[in-house]
Amino acid sequence: RLGGTLVLSVPDVDLLHHAGPELPAPTYQVPRTGDVWLGRKELRPSGTKVFLGPTTIGDGSVAVIAGPCAVESSEQTMATAAVVAEHGAVGLRGGVFKPRTSPHSFQGVQWDGLDLLAEARERTGLPVVTEVVDPEHVKRLAAVVDGLQIGARNMQNFALLTAVGQSGLPVVLKRGFGCTVEETLAAAEYLLLEGNDQVVLCERGIRTFEPSARFTLDLTAVALWKQRTHLPVMVDPSHSGGKPELVEPLSLAAVAAGADALIIDVHVAPEQALCDGKQALRPQQFADLMIRLAPLAAGLGRHMSGA
Ligand code: PEP
Ligand code: MN
């Protein structure tokens, strides 16, 4: 050991026995923090509470965050915010920067959407969560919103994780759809190492061989995270199922599996949505879902957040 660093010397083995140039043996430096997992359950067995504005995630209640996939216009944002608030959501989601698979798809209204989220919060009292896609955007977004989302496609964007960790703001960290349970915990460590413990892990479906749904919701991850980390766990049944008719069964199953929170796409006119309209719940479907969730929560000795 040299100072705080463990130095491993790797022997120089010439496997092919050819006479190459003489190179010094490589030396890898392994930082000692490698064995201190800040997210591990034992560090805080009672669990971490995440304070998203007036909403607490991880206090035993079931918190539902809902709203459009993307902020599109003032009318759409205000109308959707009013609907989700009326039916018991305790947070508003809405992407202003959209990380789209195709560059030809709608990329979000970008900075113009920030004032709309602030106005929707003003009108409904709901804290707002939006996705951040660029470390350079963190400060400007954090000055307005209550929570930042790191999308599945960015779960291992380490510069972004570090910048969001430094913001100190609550973070919804979505699992990459090709990433493991442990890789997600490792990504969360980047946030925790910056001194930010306001982290919610979000299972949003992974890629499997099954083509019948957009992704396959991995409830095993929910159970494992609840056992392995003190961080609260959220489930996104909208992006995983990709169909409105899957949102209710996946939501109920997620809560039964121990999820602390749900994040749900709702749109006042899904057929006109510029992003992910195929999976959005209509206002009445969202109202029905909230009615179905309450007795399940009660049966589990829990209650709906805000109720
Ligand atoms: C989203 O929530 O709008 C989103 C893009 O989700 P994901 O990163 O899980 O695909
Ligand atoms: Mn979406």
Side-chain angles (χ1 to χ4, degrees), residues 69 98 239 265 275-276 279:
C69 179
K98 296 304 303 176
H239 286 81
D265 280 13
C275 184
D276 285 349
Q279 69 197 30

Side-chain angles (χ1 to χ4, degrees), residues 68-70 93 98-100 131 149 153 174 204 214 236 238-239 265 275-277 279:
C69 179
R93 62 151 291 147
K98 296 304 303 176
R100 303 307 297 280
E131 179 162 353
Q149 177 177 317
R153 291 157 189 81
K174 297 189 105 181
R204 46 77 71 217
R214 189 177 180 191
D236 182 338
S238 304
H239 286 81
D265 280 13
C275 184
D276 285 349
Q279 69 197 30

Side-chain angles (χ1 to χ4, degrees), residues 53 106-107 232 246 303:
F106 174 61
Q107 300 289 308
L246 286 177
H303 64 277

Side-chain angles (χ1 to χ4, degrees), residues 146-158:
D146 302 280
L148 293 168
Q149 177 177 317
I150 294 179
R153 291 157 189 81
N154 271 315
M155 188 198 86
Q156 290 181 314
N157 180 337
F158 302 117

Side-chain angles (χ1 to χ4, degrees), residues 15-241:
L15 289 172
L16 296 177
H17 307 292
H18 65 75
E22 282 296 308
L23 296 173
T27 298
Y28 298 103
Q29 299 212 333
V30 183
R32 286 186 60 234
T33 51
D35 57 5
V36 182
W37 285 83
L38 299 176
R40 72 174 195 267
K41 182 90 175 182
E42 296 72 42
L43 286 188
R44 200 182 273 159
S46 59
T48 291
K49 292 185 176 69
V50 170
F51 302 105
L52 178 71
T55 294
T56 305
I57 300 174
D59 63 356
S61 67
V62 176
V64 176
I65 293 174
C69 179
V71 167
E72 297 167 10
S73 67
S74 176
E75 298 69 29
Q76 170 252 11
T77 304
M78 301 314 146
T80 307
V83 160
V84 301
E86 182 190 343
H87 296 294
V90 289
L92 176 69
R93 62 151 291 147
V96 296
F97 287 93
K98 296 304 303 176
R100 303 307 297 280
T101 298
S102 164
H104 303 296
S105 301
F106 174 61
Q107 300 289 308
V109 296
Q110 311 203 349
W111 295 115
D112 293 341
L114 213 44
D115 287 346
L116 297 178
L117 287 175
E119 188 185 338
R121 173 178 53 199
E122 188 83 10
R123 291 189 186 202
T124 59
L126 296 181
V128 296
V129 179
T130 202
E131 179 162 353
V132 58
V133 297
D134 185 331
E136 301 284 322
H137 294 174
V138 170
K139 282 208 176 96
R140 193 167 159 194
L141 290 172
V144 176
V145 300
D146 302 280
L148 293 168
Q149 177 177 317
I150 294 179
R153 291 157 189 81
N154 271 315
M155 188 198 86
Q156 290 181 314
N157 180 337
F158 302 117
L160 184 63
L161 290 165
T162 299
V164 170
Q166 288 168 356
S167 78
L169 229 61
V171 188
V172 173
L173 175 62
K174 297 189 105 181
R175 177 187 183 182
F177 43 75
C179 294
T180 66
V181 162
E182 286 292 323
E183 283 162 351
T184 310
L185 292 172
E189 288 291 304
Y190 280 86
L191 298 160
L192 297 169
L193 273 168
E194 297 306 320
N196 186 354
D197 71 349
Q198 295 292 286
V199 179
V200 182
L201 303 178
C202 182
E203 161 59 29
R204 46 77 71 217
I206 55 174
R207 276 267 154 79
T208 67
F209 53 79
E210 178 52 64
S212 303
R214 189 177 180 191
F215 295 91
T216 298
L217 183 63
D218 179 15
L219 290 177
T220 306
V222 174
L224 286 170
W225 285 336
K226 290 303 293 178
Q227 290 163 15
R228 292 184 184 178
T229 177
H230 54 81
L231 300 173
V233 175
M234 176 182 278
V235 165
D236 182 338
S238 304
H239 286 81
S240 44

